[in-house]
Amino acid sequence: MSATALSSGRPRRISPARWGLYAFILITALYFLLPLYVMIVTSLKPMAEIRQGNLLALPASPSLAAWVKAWTSACTGLTCEGIRIGFFNSLRILVPSVVISILVGSLTGYALSLWRVRGANILFGAMMVVAFIPYQVFIYPLVRVFSFTGLGQSLATIVTIHTIFGLPTMTLLFRNYFTSLPVELFKAARIDGAGFYQIYARIMMPMATPMIVVAVILQTTGIWNDFILGLVFAGRDNLPMTVQLNNIVNSTQGERAYNVDMAATLLTALLPLVVYFGSGRWFVRGIAAGAVKG
Amino acid sequence: MRLSLTSRLSVISALLPALMVMLVVYIGATSWTAWMSLTNSRMLPNNNFVGFRQYELLLTNDRWLTSVHNVIIYGVLFVSLALLIGFLLAVAIDQRVRAEDTIRSIYLYPYAMSFVVTGLVWQWLLNPTLGIQHVLRSWGFAGATFDWIVRPETAIYCLVIAGVWQASGLVMAIMLAGLRGVDDEIWKAARVDGLPKWRVYISIVIPMMGASFATAAVLLSTAVVRLYDLSVSMTNGGPGIASEVPAKFVMDHLFERANIGLATAAATTMLITVIAVVAPYLYWRARKGEVR
Amino acid sequence: MQRSNVDITNLQIGFGGLKVLENLNLHVDASEFLVLLGPSGCGKSTLLNAIAGLIDVKGGEIRIGDRDVTWAEPKDRGIAMVFQSYALYPRMSVRKNLSFGLKVARTPQDEIDSRVGEAAKMLRLTELLDRRPSELSGGQRQRVAIGRALVRHAGVYLFDEPLSNLDAQLRAELRVEIKRLHARLGATMIYVTHDQIEALTLADRIAVMQGGVIQQLDTPKKIYREPANRFVASFVGSPAMNFIRGRIARDGGLAFIAGDARFDLNGYAFRTPPSDAPAVLGIRPEHIEVIGSDHPSAVPARVEMVEPMGADALIWCRLADGTAFSFRSDADAQARAGDTLALRFPAEAFSLFDDQSGQRL
């Protein structure tokens, strides 16, 4: 229970302080909602209406034309096939990256939490430190390593990269979760003769469903929103949606089609927003669980 | 616990990916970067040792100095504003308000969006011809100017506005968790003592929330050092080089300007800065963990 | 120091549709030590929080020191409170914890110093004044929490299960300390607990609560000896009171019949005139004695198990009809499982309850 559940004395009308509070909440909420609102109304207006300059006005005659154009025929540099190319690229990157990074992370977290191996704490501590280091420090050597191995810029490369950079957070998440489980469970399984991978697959992972949900949310939004790694490692044929979006908006020649830009921006933000509003408190839980990393 | 050979092999096999990543990626790549910063590598890495020459060049490089200047301005404003706003939002939500879940969702949703999306939206909102400035003028504030994004001396503040918008919700979520963790009986005791609410927040609650503030501050600070996507999408470093940032400096010199030596010197400088911020924090956390 | 009485009339408290307290009445004398005793969820903490002004009431009146405080802020009620989790302000030293409320109330500094010094001396906290709560043991923290209440010089001190976070030995020590404090200050104290030993040792009067209703309000002795209903009888006392089901018979002298066993009721003080009806006989283990089997009122019972308890032993038996009960005997009793004993059940020690309503007869 929070402080606010305390009594406020005799039942009475809303106090001035209460009015102030609600005014503060209303104003801040408007500030946070304004960009989303402007994105939506702009994307529904024709350019002629936008040029008149009523940024905040509702569209006179809402039209999805800009959305269709953004999806199918907006120009990203050389080609004009719309942002859908980026959408499907991002999906192709997203699915294997999420699955593999969670598998590797949960296995690492499991091994580091329940099996008291020598050096486990050192490895874990080191992983927590490196989680904070900016990508710029690793990026060039990694480019060289991948071109040396022959993978170069490819889907396999970007998936590997997401797995690598997701590893500290995923390990942390699962390690903390497995550490919080009663250790008797693990001991009982050992006495029953279950081996390392059996305990992982049969006992621990089925119990870790809440953490898996959190991990999926965290990784999905994180990987979908990535820009820099996709730009460097995915290769020209697999550029993710965020990169394509930036190309559409920032490399246009001549007059900017703001309605198409905003439609493309919304389309790019759509999946994380759906995940966010669909998952409710789970998203917050993900933030709290992964709070050690940025 | 004594492990059989099979178990031991299993554990090692499970930890192999993590070990490889640590050794090859983190330690290996970091060392290589640090080494390259001591060479005169241009388009391709070479091993011509030049000592700290690249760092000297860095210190006379206008673009780098602007980047560092910018990231300091951005960092100070972004961290303090996001902490302040995030904390106030959390306190407001903590007052048993109606529709708490909805309000919290509104504050937090920007954090679900990418920096690219954030940058592009705010680029549009701050566009002087058709954006907020225009709206203000059409409301009758004829002299209203809000053209920061096209003026070199103010462009960096636009990144702050967008960054704070995106990250305040995160601070709010962390702070709210901290506030909800305050024992209800503390509030009761404070009421019996007759303390006004604001006094309880300042004298009792904020001092109790050191961990929440530290966590939020460290998260925000690492985001500052990583600042890249927002600068690229919102201003592309411009006007001119007015909103360049170190991460962008590194990327541009690695991949466009073919000056690997200088880029890795910049990257190494970033690394040292991050470690200087994060190491004390992690040490403090680890010690706290031991005490508990 | 002022000592206030507390009067509660027709108090109603509910959360949403749920009624927690309904038409509750309670009077606490000035200088009295009143304990609210009951299982968790019985409403005792709710009642205490209502007296403190920490929860909203739906109706009724609360008066402290003859002043209506039903809607007053907690700080204006002349109360002080000690919490179960201590609720010490973690970032303040002991001294600041004690003085903070006074400082906010703009009490002059020399007055603050003297009150803090006095409370610290009384609770042996003088050495600890500059420590942080995290540097104190559980018992010390609880003494600080009590100190923070004392410096308020309140008319009523409220204790919300203050000892339940402590281990058994510390709990016993602090119990004595609180009792001593009450004797010394003569202050009005209202104390919530689920621990009957605390209640019996500390209280001038105990209010036993269950389901939001005060089941019995009486001195510890009366609560123990003459429980008003089966709930009070079974909740208070350890080892628990024995209950034997049967009926009251008036043929051939007043007696309680359970199967073949017959318990003489001569000497039992009936509250209502006895009638032939099913009833429950309650008797505490320490009131049953072994006597010669030729005694006219002897009841035979078969020993099932002997539980040695140090100073004495608890002997578990069954009556002929199968009813299990226990009684206390000295530690070197010779009884063995399987023995048959002749026992005396003294009518003066009985508590008879109506089988239906559970009320004392």
Side-chain angles (χ1 to χ4, degrees):
Chain A
M1 209 197 297
S2 80
T4 49
L6 299 172
S7 89
S8 49
R10 189 190 294 271
R12 58 188 162 208
R13 273 181 294 165
I14 298 168
S15 68
R18 212 68 190 156
W19 278 112
L21 175 68
Y22 278 109
F24 174 77
I25 287 174
L26 190 71
I27 290 167
T28 47
L30 286 178
Y31 164 69
F32 281 95
L33 281 175
L34 177 75
L36 186 61
Y37 169 79
V38 168
M39 261 197 282
I40 293 171
V41 293
T42 307
S43 73
L44 296 175
K45 289 176 188 171
M47 270 314 289
E49 198 181 336
I50 293 172
R51 265 183 238 110
Q52 288 165 11
N54 292 319
L55 184 72
L56 302 179
L58 283 169
S61 51
S63 130
L64 284 175
W67 285 70
V68 174
K69 187 167 180 219
W71 182 250
T72 56
S73 62
C75 296
T76 63
L78 295 176
T79 57
C80 291
E81 291 176 74
I83 196 144
R84 63 189 161 149
I85 308 288
F87 180 84
F88 291 115
N89 284 346
S90 276
L91 266 190
R92 282 191 299 148
I93 296 171
L94 181 75
V95 174
S97 301
V98 168
V99 172
I100 296 174
S101 67
I102 290 178
L103 269 179
V104 178
S106 61
L107 191 60
T108 311
Y110 161 71
L112 288 178
S113 57
L114 295 170
W115 297 79
R116 309 197 170 276
V117 275
R118 227 180 314 150
N121 282 337
I122 297 174
L123 181 61
F124 181 68
M127 286 173 82
M128 289 308 99
V129 175
V130 296
F132 289 98
I133 299 176
Y135 296 142
Q136 283 76 17
V137 176
F138 321 115
I139 236 167
Y140 192 75
L142 286 179
V143 168
R144 302 291 300 178
V145 168
F146 278 101
S147 75
F148 179 76
T149 57
L151 285 172
Q153 296 176 314
S154 66
L155 197 60
T157 305
I158 184 67
V159 170
T160 313
I161 287 287
H162 279 308
T163 305
I164 289 173
F165 288 117
L167 189 58
T169 319
M170 291 300 107
T171 303
L172 172 81
L173 215 62
F174 283 97
R175 177 188 179 263
N176 287 358
Y177 186 74
F178 290 135
T179 314
S180 75
L181 294 178
V183 73
E184 287 74 22
L185 223 120
F186 173 70
K187 287 180 178 163
R190 294 264 299 153
I191 289 167
D192 286 344
F196 180 88
Y197 285 102
Q198 278 172 314
I199 298 180
Y200 169 75
R202 300 269 182 81
I203 296 169
M204 291 303 158
M205 284 313 269
M207 287 186 66
T209 322
M211 270 308 111
I212 296 174
V213 174
V214 166
V216 168
I217 292 171
L218 217 57
Q219 287 297 82
T220 303
T221 47
I223 291 169
W224 190 271
N225 287 341
D226 159 68
F227 176 78
I228 186 170
L229 298 177
L231 180 68
V232 175
F233 292 101
R236 188 188 296 220
D237 295 334
N238 302 305
L239 287 178
M241 202 172 185
T242 45
V243 177
Q244 305 265 26
L245 170 69
N246 190 51
N247 289 346
I248 288 179
V249 177
N250 281 333
S251 60
T252 325
Q253 309 292 321
E255 195 201 37
R256 298 269 294 266
Y258 294 111
N259 50 0
V260 177
D261 288 358
M262 286 303 114
T265 309
L266 271 173
L267 283 166
T268 310
L270 208 55
L271 184 120
L273 283 181
V274 167
V275 169
Y276 170 68
F277 286 110
S279 63
R281 282 172 184 265
W282 288 96
F283 186 84
V284 178
R285 206 172 148 181
I287 288 178
V292 136
K293 199 201 157 215
Chain B
M1 177 163 68
R2 274 187 71 88
L3 295 183
S4 67
L5 187 64
T6 353
S7 298
R8 207 171 306 198
L9 287 177
S10 305
V11 178
I12 291 172
S13 68
L15 287 178
L16 214 54
L19 274 171
M20 287 280 290
V21 166
M22 275 315 293
L23 292 176
V24 175
V25 179
Y26 290 110
I27 296 176
T30 309
S31 323
W32 195 2
T33 295
W35 165 248
M36 282 188 293
S37 76
L38 302 174
T39 68
N40 64 356
S41 305
R42 296 288 301 188
M43 192 134 104
L44 290 171
N46 64 36
N47 286 331
N48 301 333
F49 182 76
V50 294
F52 289 94
R53 180 88 189 102
Q54 299 289 7
Y55 292 86
E56 287 165 25
L57 286 174
L58 209 52
L59 289 177
T60 56
N61 185 310
D62 274 347
R63 198 172 148 132
W64 171 253
L65 295 177
T66 310
S67 300
V68 171
H69 182 72
N70 279 340
V71 87
I72 291 173
I73 295 179
Y74 178 86
V76 170
L77 289 176
F78 168 76
V79 172
S80 46
L81 284 176
L83 281 180
L84 179 72
I85 294 174
F87 180 72
L88 290 178
L89 296 179
V91 169
I93 286 186
D94 198 32
Q95 307 304 312
R96 196 171 52 162
V97 292
R98 274 161 219 268
E100 179 188 311
D101 283 354
T102 313
I103 295 167
R104 213 185 33 204
S105 304
I106 291 173
Y107 290 159
L108 188 55
Y109 88 91
Y111 189 67
M113 305 219 272
S114 58
F115 277 119
V116 177
V117 166
T118 305
L120 294 177
V121 179
W122 280 96
Q123 182 194 58
W124 169 229
L125 283 170
L126 298 174
N127 174 329
T129 10
L130 293 170
I132 291 173
Q133 171 174 301
H134 186 86
V135 171
L136 290 176
R137 287 186 181 171
S138 70
W139 282 353
F141 303 99
T145 44
F146 195 33
D147 56 354
W148 290 3
I149 200 163
V150 295
R151 303 223 328 248
E153 63 278 16
T154 49
I156 189 68
Y157 300 109
C158 294
L159 298 193
V160 175
I161 295 175
V164 168
W165 175 79
Q166 205 253 1
S168 293
L170 167 73
V171 180
M172 181 275 300
I174 294 172
M175 296 292 174
L176 192 58
L179 289 175
R180 295 276 150 96
V182 173
D183 185 353
D184 196 34
E185 291 198 334
I186 292 263
W187 281 99
K188 289 184 176 181
R191 281 200 72 195
V192 172
D193 274 351
L195 312 181
K197 234 176 191 180
W198 62 268
R199 186 79 193 247
V200 183
Y201 275 112
I202 290 177
S203 300
I204 296 162
V205 173
I206 290 182
M208 285 174 76
M209 299 221 330
S212 301
F213 274 98
T215 303
V218 168
L219 285 186
L220 296 173
S221 306
T222 50
V224 169
V225 184
R226 290 182 167 184
L227 177 66
Y228 172 72
D229 314 10
L230 195 59
S231 169
V232 170
S233 61
M234 199 167 167
T235 59
N236 201 16
I241 57 164
S243 58
E244 288 290 338
V245 289
K248 188 163 177 296
F249 180 93
V250 175
M251 296 298 285
D252 290 351
H253 283 77
L254 280 179
F255 297 109
E256 279 164 31
R257 301 178 158 234
N259 194 343
I260 290 170
L262 195 64
T264 48
T268 310
T269 311
M270 288 171 70
L271 170 69
I272 293 167
T273 318
V274 169
I275 289 178
V277 174
V278 166
Y281 168 73
L282 286 177
Y283 179 70
W284 170 75
R285 270 180 62 110
R287 273 200 41 186
K288 225 182 58 164
E290 274 165 29
V291 172
R292 201 186 307 146
Chain C
M1 179 171 294
Q2 92 227 46
R3 292 137 196 184
S4 308
N5 53 335
V6 177
D7 279 290
I8 295 165
T9 34
N10 291 327
L11 188 68
Q12 295 188 37
I13 293 177
F15 302 113
L18 182 78
K19 282 173 186 163
V20 181
L21 299 179
E22 215 179 349
N23 291 326
L24 185 135
N25 292 287
L26 177 67
H27 170 84
V28 185
D29 280 325
S31 294
E32 184 176 2
F33 199 121
L34 181 98
V35 171
L36 300 173
L37 175 68
S40 57
C42 72
K44 58 191 192 299
S45 275
T46 308
L47 175 56
L48 195 77
N49 278 292
I51 298 172
L54 293 168
I55 48 174
D56 280 330
V57 305
K58 283 237 168 102
E61 194 185 56
I62 301 172
R63 302 180 76 87
I64 295 177
D66 296 322
R67 204 161 55 85
D68 181 357
V69 296
T70 316
W71 301 108
E73 275 291 304
K75 67 179 160 91
D76 303 324
R77 292 182 177 219
I79 53 131
M81 188 158 174
V82 178
F83 297 90
Q84 177 178 358
S85 69
Y86 321 133
L88 300 180
Y89 307 138
R91 297 282 153 168
M92 295 183 186
S93 64
V94 170
R95 188 191 307 278
K96 276 207 85 180
N97 261 286
L98 295 183
S99 60
F100 195 60
L102 298 176
K103 203 165 268 171
V104 170
R106 298 183 199 284
T107 313
Q109 189 60 43
D110 50 343
E111 171 77 14
I112 294 180
D113 289 343
S114 89
R115 285 201 204 177
V116 169
E118 178 196 31
K121 216 172 111 197
M122 217 182 292
L123 291 161
R124 290 175 286 120
L125 292 170
T126 315
E127 311 291 308
L128 308 174
L129 278 176
D130 294 314
R131 296 223 195 140
R132 288 274 188 87
S134 58
E135 298 162 336
L136 303 177
S137 68
Q140 290 169 331
R141 283 180 210 187
Q142 195 51 7
R143 296 215 306 272
V144 176
I146 295 172
R148 191 173 62 187
L150 286 189
V151 296
R152 289 177 63 75
H153 287 189
V156 183
Y157 293 87
L158 307 174
F159 295 82
D160 193 358
E161 308 223 16
L163 305 184
S164 24
N165 279 1
L166 300 173
D167 62 45
Q169 197 183 345
L170 265 172
R171 205 181 302 174
E173 278 173 33
L174 270 154
R175 208 168 61 209
V176 175
E177 192 141 358
I178 291 174
K179 183 146 183 140
R180 203 177 286 144
L181 211 60
H182 180 248
R184 184 159 164 192
L185 298 172
T188 315
M189 293 186 175
I190 304 179
Y191 187 108
V192 164
T193 184
H194 63 263
D195 181 327
Q196 45 161 320
I197 305 292
E198 271 173 39
L200 294 169
T201 50
L202 288 170
D204 294 328
R205 283 192 305 158
I206 299 174
V208 182
M209 291 184 71
Q210 150 82 340
V213 175
I214 296 181
Q215 304 288 330
Q216 188 172 5
L217 174 59
D218 228 322
T219 60
K221 197 168 175 178
K222 279 252 189 174
I223 296 263
Y224 190 77
R225 289 278 174 83
E226 295 171 31
N229 57 38
R230 270 198 69 178
F231 172 77
V232 176
S234 60
F235 189 75
V236 178
S238 170
M241 185 184 263
N242 299 300
F243 293 106
I244 301 165
R245 297 178 81 94
R247 62 186 178 81
I248 294 167
R250 283 183 296 185
D251 48 325
L254 208 52
F256 181 85
I257 311 288
D260 293 338
R262 184 185 169 88
F263 301 89
D264 195 356
L265 289 180
N266 263 326
Y268 179 74
F270 276 97
R271 290 190 174 176
T272 49
S275 59
D276 289 329
V280 176
L281 185 155
I283 183 161
R284 297 208 178 273
E286 65 267 30
H287 293 137
I288 302 171
E289 325 165 313
V290 182
I291 51 165
S293 55
D294 51 345
H295 195 281
S297 58
V299 176
R302 200 177 169 75
V303 177
E304 234 179 27
M305 183 180 67
V306 178
E307 240 185 319
M309 300 180 78
D312 45 22
L314 198 63
I315 301 184
W316 286 90
C317 304
R318 268 185 203 281
L319 292 175
D321 71 345
T323 307
F325 67 96
S326 66
F327 75 95
R328 263 180 212 246
S329 107
D330 32 27
D332 29 67
Q334 300 296 316
R336 292 263 153 72
D339 290 357
T340 301
L341 296 176
L343 300 172
R344 189 176 92 90
F345 290 73
E348 317 85 71
F350 287 175
S351 291
L352 283 173
F353 302 105
D354 186 280
D355 191 51
Q356 294 276 297
S357 68
Q359 293 300 314
R360 186 180 186 88
L361 292 171

